[in-house]
Amino acid sequence: MKTKAILTFTIVLGLITINNKIMAQNYIFPELPYVYDALEPYIDARTMEIHYTKHHRAYYDNFVKAAGEAKIDHLPLEDIFSGVSAYSPAVRNNGGGYYNHMLFWNVMGPNAGGQPEGKLLKAIIEAFGSFDKFKADFENAAKTQFGSGWAWLAVDAGGKLFVSQTLNQDNPLMDVASKRGVPILGLDVWEHAYYLKYQNRRAEYVGIFWNVVNWKKVAELYEATLK
Ligand code: MN3
């Protein structure tokens, strides 16, 4: 009787494990971590709603389709990105769009802004000289990215922070990026991210970004890269 119970337990546990593995291979479209107007007045609710429900959703849907067709939908995004040059533009553009926006939503939040603390602040000062110099470099990357793209703060293979910019929906995890690393902060500078409220004034949008950066989350992402 006891043996039978243990056996049943083992089988159930086994099925849960298999199920979890299958689940891990499916890409999910996560909920926005706050309500649409949470980042007002800096990022307006209408932009947030369209950005999340239309743009991000389309990248996700198109990525799932493209990854399925390429038979790579069992792979983690990081593995796809590290060899993305071998795949179709649909995988690269939509996979990037899917991942980049998940990061973007997560590194922003209400009642945020200010400065990072602890290990992250130390690493920023070590890499850039000061927090203000880092902000200037990051803003410069965001403002000078010609056309659509992203500005990044990322961690290189040696654990050092760097700022970079990428075109379209590329990101520093991709083998096509000029500087490679793990992104811990990203700013979307596509016009769809700011045009309703800021029209052509990208510099103004870049400047208000600091009011919504969730440094606690960025620090978590940074510390995860050190493990
Ligand atoms: Mn976008």
Side-chain angles (χ1 to χ4, degrees):
M1 205 49 207
K2 203 179 170 190
T3 312
K4 201 181 168 193
I6 291 169
L7 186 65
T8 306
F9 179 71
T10 308
I11 290 168
V12 169
L13 194 69
L15 286 173
I16 290 168
T17 307
I18 289 165
N19 195 39
N20 278 345
K21 276 182 185 158
I22 291 166
M23 288 301 288
Q25 289 163 358
N26 285 328
Y27 307 108
I28 57 140
F29 185 68
E31 274 187 42
L32 197 65
Y34 32 76
V35 293
Y36 297 134
D37 66 359
L39 307 184
E40 293 262 15
Y42 308 109
I43 297 179
D44 61 289
R46 185 81 179 119
T47 295
M48 185 58 81
E49 182 175 2
I50 296 170
H51 203 172
Y52 171 71
T53 64
K54 307 292 183 197
H55 294 277
H56 192 195
R57 183 75 211 195
Y59 292 124
Y60 169 76
D61 289 342
N62 291 327
F63 170 68
V64 168
K65 186 166 172 275
E69 283 166 3
K71 298 192 166 46
I72 53 170
D73 53 358
H74 57 289
L75 295 175
L77 289 173
E78 288 80 358
D79 291 3
I80 292 175
F81 293 159
S82 66
V84 83
S85 58
Y87 304 122
S88 67
V91 167
R92 174 175 168 179
N93 294 333
N94 295 297
Y98 167 41
Y99 172 92
N100 296 348
H101 288 86
M102 283 194 286
L103 179 73
F104 188 45
W105 311 140
N106 275 310
V107 295
M108 295 191 291
N111 311 311
Q115 281 209 12
E117 296 170 2
K119 281 183 192 169
L120 176 59
L121 181 61
K122 257 189 179 170
I124 286 175
I125 292 169
E126 199 183 299
F128 304 98
S130 69
F131 180 61
D132 282 344
K133 178 62 167 59
F134 150 71
K135 279 172 72 178
D137 286 3
F138 187 90
E139 287 191 23
N140 188 54
K143 287 187 258 188
T144 62
Q145 170 55 47
F146 187 75
S148 299
W150 291 75
W152 304 101
L153 172 64
V155 186
D156 73 15
K160 199 176 175 199
L161 294 171
F162 67 89
V163 159
S164 68
Q165 56 183 202
T166 56
L167 260 177
N168 301 323
Q169 295 295 350
D170 288 353
N171 66 49
L173 291 167
M174 293 183 175
D175 64 352
V176 293
S178 55
K179 281 187 181 176
R180 292 184 63 186
V182 179
I184 59 170
L185 178 69
L187 176 57
D188 187 343
V189 295
W190 282 58
E191 282 187 344
H192 69 228
Y194 61 88
Y195 207 85
L196 281 180
K197 185 173 170 78
Y198 297 97
Q199 293 82 49
N200 62 322
R201 305 187 307 277
R202 185 193 285 188
E204 196 181 326
Y205 161 73
V206 170
I208 62 86
F209 179 57
W210 304 116
N211 296 299
V212 294
V213 174
N214 180 352
W215 285 110
K216 208 176 148 221
K217 186 73 207 178
V218 180
E220 274 173 34
L221 295 172
Y222 171 65
E223 288 182 28
T225 69
L226 305 178
K227 280 163 196 162

